[in-house]
Amino acid sequence: MVLHDDTRANPKTRQLRSALACKPGGWPDNIDLSTPEWFPLVPPWDANELEKIASWLPGVLAEVAAQLDDDSVTPLTADQILPLAQAVSALWHHQGNNPRTPVARPEMPQGFQELISGKESVSPAASRQAFRWANEKMSLLVGRYVKSHSDSNRKQTFQEVPYDDHIAERYEIDRPRRSQFQNALAEVGKRQTDGRAILELGAGTGVITRSLAPRARSWVALEISQPMAKKLSQNSSAVQAVQVISADAMRIPLRDSCVDTVIEHEALCFADEPIKAVAEAIRVLKENGCIVRLVSRTEKTALDIQLETVFHKALRRKGYGPFCLRGRGTDARITEWLSRNGWVTHEELVATWKELRSRDWILKPLENRGWPYLLSVPLEVTQECAREAREFLSDGCSELKDESEVSVSLKMLTSRTEEA
């Protein structure tokens, strides 16, 4: 077991941490927070709140844009800062109405806190970064609002938008978990869940839930997608300790200090703002409780790379993509924020093993749109692109074998307060 070591971070991660740390006076100009790499892209908002914010936010940001000059070194006045602070506050808190008094939170980047508190030291660079963040979020929100209302008059909640019934059904079919993974989970259960009250974030269709919940005293499985939560309820119905709740991890519907452990497996990267979800996890934890993040990694082989490359090139030729894959740097960012707030993170390798992966194992999730980023692509298009990838191998265009052995690992990051 080793203490998390910041020196292991790659340059891009260190750059991101530098941006989040935010020296007084603003963010470094070389950090462009408007690029998708820096923050997640699918804000799960309720449609009623979306309708409210879509009515005023674009106009406010248009006024702010007119006041911002890329070359200016003159700080904005208090009157100029206020509408930008209102926009950031509303977006952060998922508040549909324009807040007369913006509210800062400890889990916000320091630059946002300074902006909202009205500090005169907020630099033009910091204001531009906040505007880029708000403008990107606004574009995504309004785009999803229009999309969700374009085909139907029914007001659809955004628990339903990111994942539909299709992906809930395909999730387990196209991503089966081998026995080695279940064995590794059993080891996690012995150390972290036996006899405890557990909250699981982003439970999906219940792979983790079914393995670990029988060992717990109680288990709340939180899943924002209603189709996924429905499947989760079916899969875990035999486990008496499990309670399934369809809710947002950034708004956990539980009272303060009610669980011993919060656990998640690569789910926080899908939150609109992962740090906000972590702050909520801390709120519901009992004294001396812990946050457990499970991270599984599969070695990318030449077969993976070749098939995925052919598949995505075929998509591009048909007019789809490029796609933004979410989650880069999320765990490093969470660990850094926890460290700055008095939490120590221990990283432990739970298990490693070998698996044999075939071309179908790689292509099936792509072919069947088993990944969220492919939901906007028609099924017949993904099937045709997968067919091209298979033909690439069959026609002798590649010297790769039809299957290959890969290394798989499961890591556990356990965070506790320094006093625990």
Side-chain angles (χ1 to χ4, degrees):
M1 183 178 294
V2 295
L3 187 64
H4 182 84
D5 183 359
D6 284 347
T7 62
R8 298 179 183 179
N10 60 42
K12 182 68 76 175
T13 299
R14 287 197 296 269
Q15 190 183 32
L16 175 59
R17 292 179 182 179
S18 173
L20 290 169
C22 237
K23 295 179 180 179
W27 293 335
D29 285 323
N30 62 331
I31 304 293
D32 184 4
L33 294 182
S34 67
T35 59
E37 180 175 349
W38 298 105
F39 47 83
L41 295 179
V42 186
W45 280 56
D46 178 85
N48 290 327
E49 294 301 302
L50 257 179
E51 188 171 11
K52 293 176 186 176
I53 201 168
S55 69
W56 65 268
L57 183 60
V60 166
L61 289 181
E63 293 178 7
V64 172
Q67 297 168 348
L68 286 173
D69 184 341
D70 286 342
D71 299 323
S72 174
V73 294
T74 304
L76 296 179
T77 66
D79 288 342
Q80 291 172 324
I81 285 176
L82 179 60
L84 180 56
Q86 290 171 329
V88 169
S89 178
L91 287 165
W92 187 276
H93 296 291
H94 286 204
Q95 179 180 348
N97 294 320
N98 189 339
R100 293 184 177 181
T101 304
V103 178
R105 295 284 300 171
E107 64 269 20
M108 285 181 167
Q110 188 65 28
F112 287 2
Q113 296 183 46
E114 293 177 359
L115 181 80
I116 290 173
S117 65
K119 284 191 176 181
E120 296 181 358
S121 61
V122 177
S123 71
S127 300
R128 287 194 293 271
Q129 297 288 19
F131 169 76
R132 290 170 183 167
W133 180 88
N135 191 57
E136 178 77 12
K137 294 289 187 185
M138 183 272 293
S139 299
L140 292 161
L141 284 172
V142 173
R144 283 195 168 271
Y145 172 77
V146 171
K147 180 180 178 181
S148 69
H149 288 71
S150 61
D151 299 326
S152 171
N153 291 324
R154 183 176 69 89
K155 290 194 173 181
Q156 191 175 26
T157 64
F158 274 71
Q159 278 93 335
E160 298 172 84
V161 172
Y163 305 100
D164 58 14
D165 289 319
H166 163 84
I167 197 171
E169 290 296 328
R170 299 300 319 184
Y171 190 82
E172 290 175 299
I173 297 173
D174 291 330
R175 291 197 287 279
R177 298 293 185 177
R178 301 279 177 84
S179 59
Q180 298 97 320
F181 182 77
Q182 300 299 331
N183 293 339
L185 285 181
E187 187 62 30
V188 172
K190 292 176 186 176
R191 305 180 197 182
Q192 301 291 1
T193 66
D194 280 8
R196 301 178 189 177
I198 307 294
L199 167 64
E200 181 187 3
L201 303 181
T205 58
V207 172
I208 305 295
T209 312
R210 282 172 287 171
S211 294
L212 300 185
R215 313 181 72 103
R217 183 173 77 254
S218 64
W219 190 286
V220 176
L222 200 72
E223 172 53 51
I224 190 171
S225 162
Q226 291 177 357
M228 298 280 265
K230 181 179 178 181
K231 188 74 173 175
L232 169 63
S233 296
Q234 295 169 352
N235 290 340
S236 59
S237 60
V239 185
Q240 189 173 359
V242 174
Q243 177 187 4
V244 176
I245 299 177
S246 182
D248 188 346
M250 297 185 296
R251 297 174 177 176
I252 299 173
L254 299 178
R255 59 182 172 81
D256 295 358
S257 307
C258 64
V259 298
D260 300 307
T261 302
V262 175
I263 191 168
E264 65 94 26
H265 176 232
E266 299 181 0
L268 289 174
C269 61
F270 290 99
D272 180 27
E273 179 43 66
I275 300 299
K276 192 173 180 182
V278 174
E280 272 288 89
I282 292 173
R283 178 184 66 79
V284 301
L285 275 176
K286 297 178 182 177
E287 186 177 0
N288 299 328
C290 67
I291 299 173
V292 177
R293 289 172 282 153
L294 300 179
V295 181
S296 55
R297 289 290 181 264
T298 302
E299 171 194 19
K300 281 282 187 182
T301 66
L303 182 64
D304 288 270
I305 295 170
Q306 187 75 79
L307 290 176
E308 290 176 3
T309 299
V310 174
F311 176 85
H312 286 99
K313 281 185 176 180
L315 278 180
R316 292 294 297 274
R317 288 196 302 272
K318 298 177 188 301
Y320 297 93
F323 300 96
C324 176
L325 303 183
R326 304 167 51 163
R328 298 178 190 174
T330 299
D331 279 311
R333 181 183 171 197
I334 289 171
T335 299
E336 170 66 16
W337 185 83
L338 287 170
S339 176
R340 286 194 280 114
N341 287 275
W343 287 65
V344 178
T345 298
H346 292 271
E347 180 180 313
E348 182 178 0
L349 181 63
V350 178
T352 59
W353 62 92
K354 298 286 187 180
E355 290 183 1
L356 202 60
R357 296 286 174 93
S358 67
R359 63 179 180 181
D360 276 347
W361 180 287
I362 300 165
L363 286 174
K364 279 292 184 182
L366 301 173
E367 179 179 33
N368 295 319
R369 301 185 307 155
W371 301 109
Y373 75 94
L374 291 173
L375 286 177
S376 61
V377 183
L379 181 61
E380 58 270 20
V381 173
T382 56
Q383 290 174 337
E384 177 60 30
C385 293
R387 191 177 305 117
E388 288 187 29
R390 289 190 177 91
E391 290 173 354
F392 181 84
L393 287 182
S394 301
D395 292 344
C397 298
S398 171
E399 297 179 356
L400 299 175
K401 297 180 180 178
D402 193 44
E403 58 184 15
S404 59
E405 188 177 63
V406 299
S407 296
V408 186
S409 65
L410 181 68
K411 291 194 303 183
M412 178 168 62
L413 286 79
T414 306
S415 302
R416 290 185 170 88
T417 59
E418 294 174 349
E419 296 81 9

